[in-house]
Amino acid sequence: MSESMIRVRGLTKRYERGGETLTVLDNLNLEMEEGRFYALMGPSGSGKTTLLNLIGGLDTADSGELVVAGEDVAQLSGADLAAWRAANVGFVFQGFNLIPVLTARENVELPLKLTPLSGAQRRQQAETALKLVGLGDRMDHRPRQLSGGQEQRVAIARAIATDPKLILADEPTGDLDRKSAEQVLDLLGRLNREFKKTILMVTHDPHAAERAQSIVHLDKGQLGRIEHNQPAAAR
Amino acid sequence: MFKLVLRNLLGHPIRSAITAVSVGVALFLVCILTSIITTLQSGLAAASSTRLVVMSSISLFQDIPLSYQERIASVDGIASVVKWQWFGGYYKSQENFFGQFAVDPERMFEVYPEVKVDEATKQKFLTQRNACIVGWQLAAEFPEWQETGKIPLTGALFPHPSGGAWDFELAGIYRSEAANFDNRTMFFRWDLFEETLKGNGDSPGVGVYVMSLDPGADVERIRAEVETMFENGPATVRCDTESEFTRQFLSMLGDIPMFLGWIGAGVLVAILLGAINAMLMAGREQTHDIGILKALGFTDGAAFGVLIAQSLVLCLAGGAFGVGLAALLEEGIALAIGSAFPGFFIETTTYIGAGVASLLVGLAAGAIPAWNALRVNCVEALRAKGA
């Protein structure tokens, strides 16, 4: 049995909307192992992205315990939470979320500025990450000069640049055509298999979810069934 | 991060350029307005408190008798007395306005040692009846004077008996090293003035007498003695120190420093509002980018820094442009407004003040968007529409 990467106990998150309290995650319990590829599925409003944001330290829970990569994230705040995030989590978003005024290389270098690496080391590491995602020839292009698939691969290179243990991907293929989506899913699968990254991917797409080793279903903020499969890429 | 700051500014080149140039033009204006104030004040500060000016007790525009000069000179403690009379003529056209005074040539150099001329100029001025000297700023405005050596002036207040122009010959150029004595005036000899006017049957009066004092002379005693001396004369006089005379002369123009100060403050406030508007737009457009930075692990302080740095770079660049422009145009402006503000110059402290003002405008303009960037929740920021 591998070690736990994510441990969720009694996690609750509520939002105030128009004077009403909306419970998005309701006393959720969940455990995810290190080094596995998880897909998180569920209908809209089931709490998938909220859970992802809480695990990634982008948002804070109202109650419950949330231990990620050995750290009780719920106890962190402000600069400590930001530092933890920088060291342990890589994000891949549906809308790519690259900074438009920076080149691909500069976008990938950005999280490395929070490390003690020198400028030359940062540059080298960013170039390595971009080559890994197959964009060695697009390093000096800005996001608007790249296709959607290429932008998402830059985002993946940025997510792995600091060598985090956990990669959180929120609908990473949602804005991509089928071919680009396959490339991105191949890349995530490779990161999991070859680099032992724990990947948690939110998706609506059953085809994308098939790439994961486990599919966790959420419904109305509560845990549904968990499926285990043999990922297509590994077969 | 500085690269991100610059790229964000260069991402909207027109907006950035307009904002920076606006700040620059505003600070250029502030430099000029401030310098007019400091020029006026420096003239006052440089005016001597041991040099005395005698004028009519009624007004500066009332002449006092020529016969007073020797009696004033007899007062114990007075080293030298020079008389001045405003000529009020013009060169070619009435638009060519500058000051011209009839003076005693030898005594002028005694009373005003700060007025420097070369020896040849001095000798010519002292010996040639129609000779004159002009300040270097005035000479620069009319380069033909040095080519021809002639300065024909039409006497508006004192017409020439021939009905034509007064023909002066340029003896040379003077330079004043003191702020109280401007470099945009012409001086010619009293004897020519007096003798020429006799042709009209006129006997000129004196505008003011200026006296230099012996070292250690009792200024208050001399002032009182001079005023008392003419209490029962054909024209009563008042005797003030040069600094007091200058202060009263400037007060006749109204409270120019306060007026200019208000204009400068208004310009700064207007440009601050413009810069705030530009930075609010930039902040709104970059909310999404701020969300990305925070998601990557950058702190709230770093997000604050990105926005405040943009504002500072923009305003400091504008400030550098404004200060540079002022330095570049200083001499030209001094010539252009020399008739109204002789001795115009920009002090180093004015440049420093403009730099500080651009820094403060940058901080103030960036404060609101930077504060918003600091406070915005990462998830909310990521939902915001990007630029």
Side-chain angles (χ1 to χ4, degrees):
Chain A
M1 178 80 181
S2 300
E3 283 188 21
S4 167
M5 171 58 76
I6 300 166
R7 194 174 75 238
V8 175
R9 293 279 180 270
L11 195 69
T12 299
K13 177 68 181 176
R14 299 184 190 89
Y15 287 114
E16 296 288 333
R17 292 264 168 82
E20 287 186 21
T21 302
L22 187 68
T23 303
V24 184
L25 295 176
D26 187 7
N27 198 28
L28 186 72
N29 295 299
L30 181 64
E31 189 118 5
M32 293 182 176
E33 289 174 21
E34 186 175 351
R36 283 185 72 83
F37 187 167
Y38 291 89
L40 188 57
M41 296 190 75
S44 294
S46 59
K48 304 183 298 295
T49 297
T50 299
L51 177 59
L52 201 75
N53 288 340
L54 291 175
I55 291 170
L58 298 181
D59 207 350
T60 51
D62 292 311
S63 63
E65 182 186 295
L66 176 59
V67 178
V68 182
E71 188 77 50
D72 190 352
V73 180
Q75 301 303 314
L76 298 176
S77 62
D80 292 337
L81 187 57
W84 174 84
R85 208 159 50 223
N88 293 283
V89 187
F91 289 96
V92 181
F93 300 95
Q94 179 177 0
F96 322 134
N97 283 350
L98 299 176
I99 295 191
V101 295
L102 299 179
T103 64
R105 187 200 338 254
E106 289 162 352
N107 266 288
V108 177
E109 267 192 71
L110 210 48
L112 293 169
K113 289 183 186 292
L114 298 168
T115 68
L117 295 178
S118 68
Q121 288 171 319
R122 288 201 303 266
R123 187 182 171 90
Q124 190 180 22
Q125 197 151 327
E127 288 177 2
T128 302
L130 281 165
K131 284 175 187 165
L132 187 71
V133 299
L135 289 175
D137 57 344
R138 294 284 189 276
M139 292 187 190
D140 295 320
H141 288 61
R142 292 199 181 181
R144 281 178 186 152
Q145 298 169 309
L146 300 171
S147 68
Q150 288 171 331
E151 281 194 76
Q152 194 60 298
R153 282 191 278 156
V154 173
I156 291 171
R158 184 181 62 187
I160 60 173
T162 55
D163 196 24
K165 295 173 185 169
L166 177 63
I167 293 174
L168 301 175
D170 190 0
E171 300 273 11
T173 58
D175 283 358
L176 301 179
D177 58 49
R178 174 54 61 190
K179 188 182 169 196
S180 298
E182 289 296 335
Q183 288 176 337
V184 165
L185 291 169
D186 285 346
L187 203 48
L188 290 174
R190 199 177 146 211
L191 291 173
N192 170 245
R193 286 191 311 279
E194 294 180 19
F195 298 94
K196 307 302 176 198
K197 301 295 179 195
T198 306
I199 296 176
L200 175 56
M201 174 179 70
V202 166
T203 184
H204 275 105
D205 181 3
H207 179 71
E210 280 180 17
R211 299 294 193 101
Q213 293 160 327
S214 301
I215 304 174
V216 178
H217 291 267
L218 275 187
D219 191 15
K220 293 177 184 169
Q222 293 189 321
L223 186 64
R225 68 185 189 283
I226 298 177
E227 302 171 68
H228 298 286
N229 60 17
Q230 182 71 18
R235 283 196 287 260
Chain B
M1 294 301 274
F2 191 66
K3 193 181 283 179
L4 178 60
V5 168
L6 284 184
R7 293 279 177 79
N8 275 324
L9 291 173
L10 296 174
H12 295 89
I14 295 175
R15 183 173 71 200
S16 297
I18 287 174
T19 308
V21 170
S22 304
V23 171
V25 169
L27 287 170
F28 165 76
L29 282 174
V30 167
C31 277
I32 301 307
L33 294 173
T34 306
S35 298
I36 289 174
I37 297 171
T38 54
T39 298
L40 291 173
Q41 288 170 340
S42 67
L44 190 58
S48 171
S49 57
T50 58
R51 202 151 44 197
L52 299 179
V53 180
V54 176
M55 58 176 270
S56 164
S57 62
I58 297 168
S59 100
L60 183 61
F61 305 104
Q62 189 78 28
D63 286 347
I64 45 181
L66 196 56
S67 58
Y68 282 13
Q69 185 167 17
E70 292 312 313
R71 293 179 64 190
I72 292 170
S74 68
V75 174
D76 186 36
I78 291 179
S80 185
V81 182
V82 60
K83 53 183 175 290
W84 287 50
Q85 179 57 283
W86 171 254
F87 182 63
Y90 58 87
Y91 172 65
K92 289 185 179 175
S93 148
Q94 291 191 357
E95 290 166 6
N96 294 328
F97 176 82
F98 56 90
Q100 311 113 26
F101 292 93
V103 294
D104 304 312
E106 288 138 0
R107 290 174 179 179
M108 180 174 161
F109 293 122
E110 289 168 7
V111 174
Y112 291 99
E114 63 266 44
V115 177
K116 306 290 184 192
V117 292
D118 60 43
E119 193 52 35
T121 298
K122 188 173 183 180
Q123 286 309 314
K124 190 170 181 181
F125 189 46
L126 293 179
T127 55
Q128 190 170 319
R129 217 163 61 98
N130 68 339
C132 69
I133 56 172
V134 299
W136 67 268
Q137 283 183 324
L138 186 60
E141 284 180 56
F142 301 102
E144 66 269 28
W145 291 351
Q146 284 174 277
E147 290 165 18
T148 63
K150 306 286 186 191
I151 305 177
L153 294 185
T154 302
L157 299 177
F158 303 100
H160 196 277
S162 68
W166 292 64
D167 289 316
F168 296 101
E169 194 155 320
L170 181 63
I173 311 298
Y174 76 81
R175 281 185 179 270
S176 162
E177 294 159 357
N180 63 301
F181 200 103
D182 79 81
N183 285 292
R184 199 181 174 279
T185 301
M186 170 186 167
F187 295 95
F188 61 95
R189 294 167 56 103
W190 183 275
D191 53 355
L192 172 84
F193 178 60
E194 186 177 345
E195 286 165 25
T196 304
L197 287 180
K198 279 180 185 167
N200 287 339
D202 292 336
S203 177
V206 175
V208 294
Y209 290 105
V210 183
M211 299 102 79
S212 59
L213 306 182
D214 290 330
D218 183 344
V219 175
E220 286 309 312
R221 176 190 59 78
I222 294 171
R223 283 182 58 199
E225 202 169 319
V226 169
E227 288 185 1
T228 308
M229 183 182 284
F230 302 111
E231 261 179 357
N232 299 313
T236 54
V237 299
R238 58 181 294 175
C239 180
D240 291 314
T241 60
E242 186 182 65
S243 55
E244 175 61 18
F245 174 80
T246 306
R247 194 191 63 74
Q248 289 188 12
F249 184 78
L250 288 177
S251 72
M252 290 193 324
L253 303 174
D255 199 346
I256 287 181
M258 191 184 79
F259 181 63
L260 295 180
W262 278 110
I263 294 175
V267 166
L268 270 183
V269 169
I271 204 57
L272 173 63
L273 295 176
I276 287 175
N277 189 40
M279 283 311 301
L280 282 174
M281 285 170 68
R284 213 164 31 240
E285 287 165 1
Q286 290 169 38
T287 303
H288 186 77
D289 293 355
I290 292 299
I292 296 171
L293 290 177
K294 289 191 176 186
L296 294 178
F298 286 90
T299 60
D300 294 342
F304 180 91
V306 167
L307 266 297
I308 203 80
Q310 283 178 57
S311 183
L312 283 173
V313 168
L314 207 56
C315 292
L316 287 174
F321 169 69
V323 165
L325 193 65
L328 200 67
L329 299 180
E330 180 183 1
E331 203 165 313
I333 292 168
L335 285 174
I337 64 172
S339 58
F341 303 102
F344 173 88
F345 72 107
I346 303 176
E347 290 184 343
T348 308
T349 51
T350 301
Y351 289 127
I352 295 169
V356 172
S358 65
L359 183 77
L360 293 177
V361 168
L363 287 173
I368 296 173
W371 181 250
N372 289 341
L374 184 142
R375 290 179 54 114
V376 70
N377 173 276
C378 178
V379 175
E380 292 295 323
L382 285 171
R383 283 194 197 121
K385 195 173 175 346

